[in-house]
Structures are given as C-alpha cells and as structure tokens.
Amino acid sequence: MPCDAGGRLIDPALDAALSRFAVQQQVLVASDYDGTLSPIVADPAAATPHTVTLEAFLALSHVVGVATAIVSGRTPEHLAEFVGTNENVHLVGNHGATMDSGHDADRVRELARQLTELLGTHPGAAVEPKATGAAFHYRHSTDPDAASAAARSVVRAVGASMIEGKMVVEGVLGSGDKGTALRALRDETHAAAVLFIGDDVTDEAAFGVLTPPDISIKVGDGDTSAMFRVPDVPDVGAVFRRLHELLADGS
Ligand SMILES: [Mg+2]
C-alpha cells in the first residue's frame, strides 16, 4: 500500500482519488477541528491540535492553487487561538450556522440559561455558550444518559436545531450547516474540487455536498456517507502529507 513520507499506510483507493484531486487547477482542502486536527480530550477547553497533523494541514495552505479552511462547531475566535492568524486559512465556526435576527439572539440567551439551570441537577456537566447557540457537554456528568436526555428536551423546547456529537448535545439557532458553508467556500475560492475530512455527525452535511473529483473522508468509526475512511487523527496528517507530495510532483 502507498505510504506517506511519515510511513503511515494510505488506502490505495484513497491514494488514487488524491492523485485525481491533485491535478485540478484550483482545490479547496477543508477540515473539521475536534477529532480531526485535534484528538478528542475529556475537557473540550483543553483540546490542543495534534501538532504533526496541524502542520501538515497548514503546509498545504502555502501551496499555489490550494485554498484551505477549517469548518468547526467552535467559534472562529477559538479556532484562531489554535491555528494562529494565517490569511491562507478560512475559519468557519458554529457548524457553518449564521444568525438571522435579534430574535435569534434572544433565543440563544434563553437556550444558554436553560442549559445552565440543568447543571444544578446534573453535576459534572458543562455548558459552552456560542454565538449561535450553546453546547451541553455531559462526558463528566454523574449520570450521562439522564443529563443528555435533559439537554435534548431543553433544545427541543427552545426550538433550536439539535446536534448530537460525542458526549455533547448542542442547540443551534440561525440557519446553515457545514454543507452550506462548504458550498459557499467552494464558490469563494473557485475550487474545481473540494476535499473535506471530519469525524462527527455534523460533518455528514459537508460530506453530502461532495461528488468526485471531490473527496470526503470520515475519521474513525460510525455510520457515514463519506467516500473514504481513516482510523485516527495521525492518519489525517498522513493524508495531508501525501496530498502535498502529489501537488509538488505535478507542479
Ligand atoms: Mg469533530
């Protein structure tokens, strides 16, 4: 099987797709953040990038004909803290959702207030306020099932879109998702082909807008509509390094 420069194996079918992708005039390489560029950790606030994988991603941002983007559930400000300010990397936060009106802002505050109230009965959980909603992390909750159920009923009551991730329930107000964000990025960057890689349910919306020569890659286990799969965060770096090699060969 083909290896990247770091010696990690790459699925031959994925390698062939990367070769077809690399010959396009202008491409967009987009990635989720948590669980893709950064290993999932117990405390979301403590998540730091997998240095080797992030470096491989950022290296692509300096290649002529390549645009890069991170599309994440975090805020753009949060993402900038991790990747620094790099004008070659588009940062899209809040799962690609954008706010429509002041009415939405009131509902965002109400959602955060009601989720915060749950902390009294579900110790160990944590609320992460966001510009377009709020996330309820129950990984450390004393009764994760009950905490998750309570958070879901709050999200439903407020009328927010529900996003269920790994030990997190999130309510999102406003409109749009990672799929709409990726379409907008494709237009903005004039990309002839788009690669997107991600590990969670919210990434499926992005996978859904891709067709060859685009490439969609799911990180880890779980149902997916992605074309390819890699096992873990270091393998994401291997894909980026292999793509870098192929782009260099073609130039
Ligand atoms: Mg993720």
Side-chain angles (χ1 to χ4, degrees), residues 43 48 56 98 119 125 159 161 175-176 197 217:
D43 175 9
T48 54
T98 49
L119 299 180
S161 302
S175 58
I197 186 162
I217 307 171

Side-chain angles (χ1 to χ4, degrees), residues 140-153:
H140 294 306
S141 165
T142 46
D143 185 346
D145 288 344
S148 159
R152 279 183 274 127
S153 67

Side-chain angles (χ1 to χ4, degrees), residues 32-36 38 40 71-73 166 178 198-203:
D32 169 48
Y33 181 75
D34 290 279
T36 304
S38 164
I40 296 280
V71 186
S72 162
K166 293 176 179 169
K178 287 191 178 187
D199 74 308
D200 215 334
V201 283
T202 57
D203 299 308

Side-chain angles (χ1 to χ4, degrees), residues 17-168:
L18 289 171
S19 298
R20 289 190 293 274
F21 182 85
V23 299
Q24 304 294 322
Q25 282 285 328
Q26 176 71 40
V27 294
L28 169 65
V29 179
S31 177
D32 169 48
Y33 181 75
D34 290 279
T36 304
L37 294 178
S38 164
I40 296 280
V41 292
D43 175 9
T48 54
H50 185 262
T51 313
V52 177
T53 296
L54 183 65
E55 277 175 6
F57 175 76
L58 293 177
L60 287 170
S61 74
H62 299 293
V63 177
V64 175
V66 179
T68 52
I70 299 177
V71 186
S72 162
R74 289 181 181 265
T75 64
E77 295 75 23
H78 226 139
L79 295 173
E81 279 174 34
F82 294 123
V83 303
T85 44
N86 179 338
E87 62 185 20
N88 297 323
V89 184
H90 299 257
L91 299 179
V92 179
N94 307 314
H95 307 286
T98 49
M99 298 292 285
D100 298 326
S101 65
H103 175 64
D104 283 339
D106 290 343
R107 291 163 74 211
V108 166
R109 276 189 290 277
E110 182 57 20
L111 175 65
R113 190 190 67 74
Q114 290 196 29
L115 288 176
T116 304
E117 265 183 18
L118 295 181
L119 299 180
T121 38
H122 299 281
V127 174
E128 181 190 358
K130 301 191 180 194
T132 51
F136 188 83
H137 296 269
Y138 56 88
R139 190 178 296 272
H140 294 306
S141 165
T142 46
D143 185 346
D145 288 344
S148 159
R152 279 183 274 127
S153 67
V154 164
V155 170
R156 270 194 296 272
V158 175
S161 302
M162 176 119 50
I163 292 178
E164 293 184 65
K166 293 176 179 169
M167 307 302 272
V168 57

